[in-house]
Structure formats: C-alpha cells, structure tokens
Amino acid sequence: MSVESIFPRLEALLPKVQKPIQYVGGELNSTVKDWDSADVRWALMYPDAYEVGLPNQGVAILYEILNELPRTLAERTYAVWPDLEALMRAEGVPQFTVDGHRPVRAFDVLGVSFSTELGYTNMLTALDLAGIPLLAVDRGDDDPIVLAGGHAAFNPEPIADFLDAAVLGDGEQISIAISEVVREWKAEGEPGGRDELLMRLAESGGVYVPKFYDVDYHPDGRVKRVAPNRADVPWRVHKHTVMDLDEWPYPKKPLVPLAETVHERFSVEIFRGCTRGCRFCQAGMITRPVRERSITTIGAMVENGIEQSGFNEVGLLSLSSADHSEIAEVAKGLADRYEGTNTSLSLPSTRVDAFNIDLANEFSRNGRRSGLTFAPEGGSERMRKVINKMVTEEDLIRTVTTAYSQGWRQVKLYFMCGLPTEQDEDVLGIGDLAKKVIKAGREATGSRDIRCTVSIGGFVPKPHTPFQWAGQADHETVDRRLKALRDSLRGDREFGRAIGFRYHDGKPSIVEGLLSRGDRRVGAVIRAVWEDGGRFDGWSEHFSYERWMSAAEKAGVDVDWYTTREREENEVLPWDHLDAGLDREWLWQDWQEAVSGAEVEDCRWTPCYDCGVCPTMGTEIQIGPTGRKLLPLTVV
C-alpha cells in the first residue's frame, strides 16, 4: 500500500523557518523509488542538522548500497531545528524523509548513525515526531526497527532502552544481510511479530538486541554481568569488517547539497583502520586492521565522483591519510591529471612524522596554500609518550620550518587537555611549542607574517581503548589549565598576536564522558534532558550543562562516578559483551605502559603486538605498495 508524501503539509510551514532549503530534498544524485516496488524500506538518519549530516560518508554509502538492491529502498532523514519542530508539533506533521517526504514511521527500519554521543537527544526528538514510542518495549509490529550504528554504537548501553538493535563496525555487508532477514520474515507473513524478527537478527551474532540481555549490578553500582536472557542469543556480539574496499567503491554518485554544508567536496576514503596505536583514539582502535584501497580504485573513484557531482575539491580521507603506502603516487597522479583545471586536492590533518614537503606541494599544485594542519595532541614530550603519539618537538619544528620556507604562512595545531597523568606544565607546554613554531617560521622566511592557530579539545576516555579505565579530568581542572594557557599567550608581546587560540571548555566533555562510558541507567538522564528541551547538544549555543546535571540529579545518577572515577582492571565494563576484536588484557597492558610512558610502534611495519583483532575477527592488514599506476592517465 502506497505511502503519501507529507510535503504539501510541510511546504506550508517552510516560509516560517530558517534555512527551509534543507528540508526540500531533490539534490543531484538523490533517489526516490516507487514505494510499492520495494519489500524492505530503510529510513537512514544522521541525528544532526542537514548541513552536518549530508556530507556524512557512512550514511551516504549505505544510502547508495541499499538503493542499488532490487526491491529495497532507502531514504534520508535529519534532525529538524527547534523552529520547525515547534511548527510540526502544532500542525501534526510527522518526522519525514527529505527524499520522498514520507513519514518515518512507515518504514521497516530506522537506521541511526551516531558519530558522537551528543546526538542522542536528537534521536528522541525524531522518534517522538515520527509517532514511534521512545521505549523499545512499548513498540508494536507497525513500528520500524530502530537500529543504531556508527562509532558511538560501540557502547549503545546508555540508549539501550530506546533501541531495538545496534550494529558494530562496517555497515556495507551487514545492511544487506539485515535487509534479507527482514524480507524473508515479511514474505512469510511476519510470524511471531516483532520479537521473532529481532530474534532472527540476534541469532547470527552480528546484530545486538539489548532486550535479549539482562544487566546485573553489584551493591556499589558496578556492573556485575551482562547475560543473554534467551537460549539462542550469543554471549558476545562481534563487529563487522569489510576486507576488500576495492569491492565497495562508494559513493559512486555523491549527493550534491542544495544548502550549504560543513564540507563542500567529494570525499574518497583511501583506507580504513589505523594501527598507529594512539591510546586516546577510539576510531583507530575499533576500525582495525588497516585496509588500503588500491591506487587504481582511488583514481577511478575520484574521476567518477567529480564527473557525477561537479565538485571542484576532492578530499582523500582516512584516519591518517599520509600513511597510505602509495600516497606519493596517488598525489602526483591526481595532481598531474587535474593540473590546470579548477579541481583541487586536500588531505585532512596530517601526522607530523608522515608529512613531507613533496606531498604537500602536490596537493597544493592546483589550489591555494591556505594552511597546514597537524595534530601533536600533547603539549609536552612526556604527554605524547603517554598517549603514544610519537612526535618529538624536533620533528614538529623541522616540519613547519620546511613548510614555511616553501611558501606556507599558516599552520594549525590540534591538542587535547585533560589527558591521563596530565599536569599544569604539560598544558602550558602547548604555548611554548606554538611560540617555537612561530619563531622557526620567522627565521626560515625572514618575515613576521607567520601565523599559528592552536585548537584544543577536552579529552574524553572512550570504550575499547587503553584509556577506558582512566579517570576523566573534571571540568574545573580543564578550564583552569586552559585559562592559564590563554593568559600566557595573551601576555606574550613577542608571539601572542601571531598565535590564534581556540578551545572548548570542560563542561561538554563531562557530558560526553557520561554518555560514552555510561550503562543503561544513564538512559533516564538522556530522556529527562530531552523532556526538558535538550536538543542539538553538540552545538555550543544549544548545549546546557546545567540541564544535564539537573537531570542526572533527579535520576539519581552520580556523574563523577561515571566520569572522573578510575576503573579497576577486573571491573566489568558496560560494553564488555560487545566485541571490537581487541584483547582486553592487551588493552590493560597498554594502559599500564601509558602510565609508565612506554611507546608502541605501528604494527604495519613491525611484528604483531597481539592486540587480538586479526585472529579474533579472521582479518589481516592489507597494505601495498601495489606497483600499479593511477589509471586512467589521461590529463583532463
């Protein structure tokens, strides 16, 4: 039975809101399939505003893959701003997709991709607007399966009460498998209702269904155990890993936004995973092992993506793009191909020890030299050893000196504040390092027209990392250290004006810490915040620390217990039943080595360090060089 578009009702509201263009759909390469041509229907949500959500690679890839399947359709939905939310509630307009403007509740699956935990309240808004009960236990057979994915889904326990299911890891293959399970269940007449469908998804061990697991607690509040409450449900749920990225060259037809978005470019993921071993980095840990795309596939994806979209900037993305074994050949081949055109190339922030000036020159050959970005993360040599960021001060100064001498005039440096074992002098060392960067640039160029921007974020311990046991720094300590650093820079007459200073205060990090390492009891806090008007918590103008603390107090949740408390080795962590492939003993040992300042090499180039991923997941590191050339060689 066809589902009508709600656009006529929505259209009447759009003149009354800011940025109405983000709700109308119709982007180049968007897909609207006939409703009755599909047996399985997905609504894919990025729980943030359109301008943030549309460029998201994960949603874009699944959108294409699912729509390529016969008798399957996928549409996109995003969080609506509070002005439209109020009008939708007043006029009875439900949460809608931007492709066919169909009500989200009519779909079989609502897949929500979480890059950050601060999107949880936006999911509740979407569920409520859609007419889907907030609690999974209250949903009926007519409600979609609410499925979480993305990096923040590696500990979905704080939102377990709101989810029907969660998937860990790469989504390409499992999304197809889920579609087939849903299709078969519907074709059989939906036997056993919603519970039977969830059971079929859970039995494989590839989909986590929270309702099939019970959590017991010790009297002191620690988790005692998480155990299945059904016989056929596995004790551990494993992540998914795509092993041949060349077989999945998506996106093939990138979406071209109608409204301005945070990234106006075509992005190609040149490899997935990272084994640098930065102890703070959840993304690096949970995406192991490294799997490179071949140089020929990268070249073909770039050529096709530009042709299909018209974008004039191409971003070569990964967690550490300059580490690709053939990055020099990729850069030169693409720069040769597009020299003299309006197409430019870009890399995300680059590791200091992976940077070389030849690479930078290739990437800037057809564009402007706007600036270089590096991420030392720690302000002192000691801190960088603690976090396993093996970058010395000499490395950084040598790199930026070369960059300045070759014509660059601005460098951006990323750091974190509140890292384990951090002291005041470690943070003040950020300022000393920035001053040395400016001094080196002036000496290399003979010019005072040299800039360095320091950007600092608060550190949040994450699940599935060596720091998952660490106590988080309280926001008062973080704010005090950042104020001291700011005052130190402002008071320096020689270098202060040349150094830009951007930072986030410590309060949002505490809330993120509560959500990232929380258990099911934190769900009551999330719901209370949402009921009190919490929306878009990742945006500073909408975030309210007081609202979160008030909600936690009412729910009887001790925020410090979840954030600043250090965990013991044998404490059961809320996510221990969710398997990212990492050996728990290896993570603990790495945490002990962090405290002692011991460094660990990248296992791409050294013997295996037994992190556990490859043997547990049946995977292996896949790197070149292939020795092949970027094809086709034709210059545009």
Side-chain angles (χ1 to χ4, degrees):
M1 182 177 176
S2 293
V3 171
E4 295 293 323
S5 167
I6 58 98
F7 190 72
R9 296 158 62 195
L10 173 67
E11 188 176 22
L13 308 181
L14 296 183
K16 305 173 185 178
V17 302
Q18 292 185 329
K19 300 182 181 178
I21 188 68
Q22 64 190 310
Y23 306 118
V24 301
E27 304 97 338
L28 180 64
N29 295 326
S30 62
T31 302
V32 182
K33 284 187 168 183
D34 178 67
W35 185 264
D36 295 326
S37 71
D39 300 323
V40 180
R41 306 173 182 98
W42 288 69
L44 299 173
M45 181 180 193
Y46 191 84
D48 208 322
Y50 175 95
E51 61 200 82
V52 178
L54 185 129
N56 180 261
Q57 282 280 94
V59 171
I61 289 169
L62 294 184
Y63 178 71
E64 273 197 44
I65 288 173
L66 291 168
N67 276 318
E68 283 184 356
L69 297 176
R71 304 202 63 78
T72 301
L73 68 78
E75 299 190 5
R76 297 162 295 128
T77 186
Y78 304 101
V80 299
W81 285 109
D83 57 354
L84 182 57
E85 179 192 342
L87 290 170
M88 289 168 66
R89 292 188 183 282
E91 299 298 326
V93 175
Q95 180 79 20
F96 56 89
T97 59
V98 296
D99 299 290
H101 293 97
R102 290 156 172 158
V104 165
R105 189 171 182 266
F107 289 77
D108 298 307
V109 183
L110 171 58
V112 189
S113 179
F114 289 105
S115 299
T116 169
E117 297 85 358
L118 293 175
Y120 290 163
T121 51
N122 283 352
M123 177 187 70
L124 297 189
T125 302
L127 291 175
D128 193 53
L129 285 172
I132 301 169
L134 295 186
L135 297 178
V137 70
D138 294 333
R139 292 178 195 141
D141 292 348
D142 292 336
D143 292 305
I145 298 298
V146 180
L147 174 74
H151 287 183
F154 273 78
N155 176 27
E157 291 302 278
I159 52 172
D161 289 344
F162 314 120
L163 296 178
D164 294 298
V167 167
L168 280 60
D170 300 335
E172 288 93 336
Q173 292 161 324
I174 187 62
S175 63
I176 296 174
I178 290 171
S179 297
E180 287 308 306
V181 171
V182 174
R183 188 188 323 280
E184 290 176 7
W185 172 75
K186 291 179 71 176
E188 293 169 12
E190 304 181 4
R194 187 181 195 83
D195 254 25
E196 171 66 19
L197 174 57
L198 292 173
M199 194 66 195
R200 293 185 185 190
L201 293 172
E203 284 174 340
S204 66
V207 178
Y208 174 52
V209 179
K211 70 179 291 183
F212 295 155
Y213 294 79
D214 293 332
V215 184
D216 298 321
Y217 301 95
H218 289 290
D220 64 2
R222 292 175 298 125
V223 174
K224 186 176 183 179
R225 74 168 193 166
V226 181
N229 55 36
R230 306 234 181 159
D232 295 329
V233 174
W235 279 82
R236 286 171 68 77
V237 179
H238 307 290
K239 77 167 183 179
H240 299 270
T241 305
V242 170
M243 281 310 298
D244 188 349
L245 292 184
D246 283 354
E247 291 184 356
W248 303 89
Y250 295 90
K252 298 175 182 176
K253 294 184 176 182
L255 291 160
V256 181
L258 297 178
E260 184 178 1
T261 60
V262 292
H263 297 303
E264 300 283 349
R265 66 187 179 206
F266 171 55
S267 297
V268 174
E269 185 184 26
I270 62 174
F271 70 85
R272 195 172 290 180
C274 182
T275 47
R276 284 283 190 166
C278 298
R279 293 173 172 128
F280 60 85
C281 182
Q282 185 191 46
M285 292 290 172
I286 64 177
T287 59
R288 292 182 174 206
V290 171
R291 293 145 285 149
E292 288 187 355
R293 273 203 169 99
S294 68
I295 184 173
T296 47
T297 299
I298 293 169
M301 288 180 68
V302 170
E303 181 180 45
N304 177 71
I306 291 174
E307 181 180 320
Q308 294 290 336
S309 69
F311 281 121
N312 59 13
E313 181 183 346
V314 177
L316 301 183
L317 305 186
S318 76
L319 292 175
S320 184
S321 294
D323 283 341
H324 191 286
S325 62
E326 293 182 307
I327 190 63
E329 292 83 355
V330 170
K332 185 178 188 307
L334 292 175
D336 285 346
R337 180 192 289 173
Y338 296 107
E339 186 168 15
T341 71
N342 66 346
T343 299
S344 63
L345 309 173
S346 66
L347 280 180
S349 62
T350 309
R351 287 184 62 98
V352 171
D353 50 348
F355 175 86
N356 67 72
I357 204 66
D358 293 334
L359 182 62
N361 282 333
E362 294 292 4
F363 275 94
S364 64
R365 197 200 304 178
N366 214 32
R368 63 186 190 281
R369 295 187 173 187
S370 56
L372 295 170
T373 302
F374 301 105
E377 308 292 2
S380 67
E381 200 90 9
R382 186 190 72 82
M383 274 316 318
R384 290 191 289 276
K385 287 183 177 180
V386 168
I387 62 178
N388 205 45
K389 193 84 174 183
M390 292 179 285
V391 174
T392 65
E393 184 177 297
E394 291 72 25
D395 290 334
L396 179 62
I397 299 303
R398 181 173 59 252
T399 297
V400 298
T401 298
T402 304
Y404 284 132
S405 67
Q406 292 291 315
W408 274 270
R409 290 295 176 265
Q410 182 159 321
V411 167
K412 180 184 286 187
L413 303 177
Y414 282 117
F415 296 91
M416 285 185 288
C417 182
L419 289 161
T421 79
E422 180 184 272
Q423 302 296 319
D424 291 4
E425 56 266 28
D426 296 311
V427 178
L428 291 173
I430 295 173
D432 296 334
L433 198 56
K435 294 170 190 177
K436 290 175 182 177
V437 165
I438 295 294
K439 183 179 179 182
R442 288 174 177 175
E443 291 175 352
T445 62
S447 168
R448 294 183 67 83
D449 182 26
I450 297 294
R451 294 281 300 168
C452 174
T453 299
V454 170
S455 184
I456 306 178
F459 167 69
V460 179
K462 294 287 186 176
H464 307 286
T465 71
F467 289 161
Q468 65 183 358
W469 289 277
Q472 185 175 351
D474 59 74
H475 71 86
E476 293 90 352
T477 299
V478 170
D479 291 344
R480 177 178 57 77
R481 287 174 179 164
L482 290 175
K483 182 179 183 300
L485 174 59
R486 183 191 64 195
D487 293 344
S488 170
L489 292 174
R490 285 181 176 175
D492 192 299
R493 300 182 67 180
E494 174 69 11
F495 298 106
R497 291 182 178 273
I499 300 173
F501 186 50
R502 300 174 183 171
Y503 65 94
H504 301 285
D505 66 61
K507 290 179 178 178
S509 297
I510 290 294
V511 172
E512 187 180 341
L514 169 68
L515 300 177
S516 69
R517 291 194 291 174
D519 53 42
R520 295 188 182 185
R521 294 168 292 191
V522 174
V525 182
I526 299 169
R527 181 166 184 172
V529 167
W530 175 78
E531 289 175 342
D532 193 33
R535 308 287 191 274
F536 291 93
D537 288 292
W539 296 67
S540 57
E541 60 267 40
H542 294 277
F543 174 80
S544 169
Y545 181 75
E546 291 70 25
R547 181 160 50 211
W548 279 94
M549 294 305 104
S550 174
E553 184 177 359
K554 291 175 183 175
V557 169
D558 184 346
V559 175
D560 289 345
W561 191 83
Y562 283 99
T563 56
T564 60
R565 177 179 67 94
E566 186 168 319
R567 280 73 166 162
E568 297 294 328
E569 177 181 5
N570 295 322
E571 177 174 339
V572 175
L573 302 175
W575 52 89
D576 276 347
H577 59 299
L578 303 173
D579 185 11
L582 297 154
D583 182 77
R584 199 178 195 272
E585 291 182 9
W586 179 83
L587 287 172
W588 176 262
Q589 185 59 41
D590 205 38
W591 166 226
Q592 302 310 298
E593 291 180 349
V595 175
S596 66
E599 296 175 312
V600 178
E601 296 285 343
D602 186 340
C603 67
R604 262 174 294 193
W605 324 116
T606 62
C608 174
Y609 282 96
D610 296 324
C611 76
V613 168
C614 291
T616 302
M617 300 281 117
T619 57
E620 61 182 357
I621 292 173
Q622 293 181 340
I623 57 173
T626 64
R628 286 178 283 179
K629 297 292 185 183
L630 185 75
L631 295 174
L633 296 175
T634 309
V635 175
V636 176

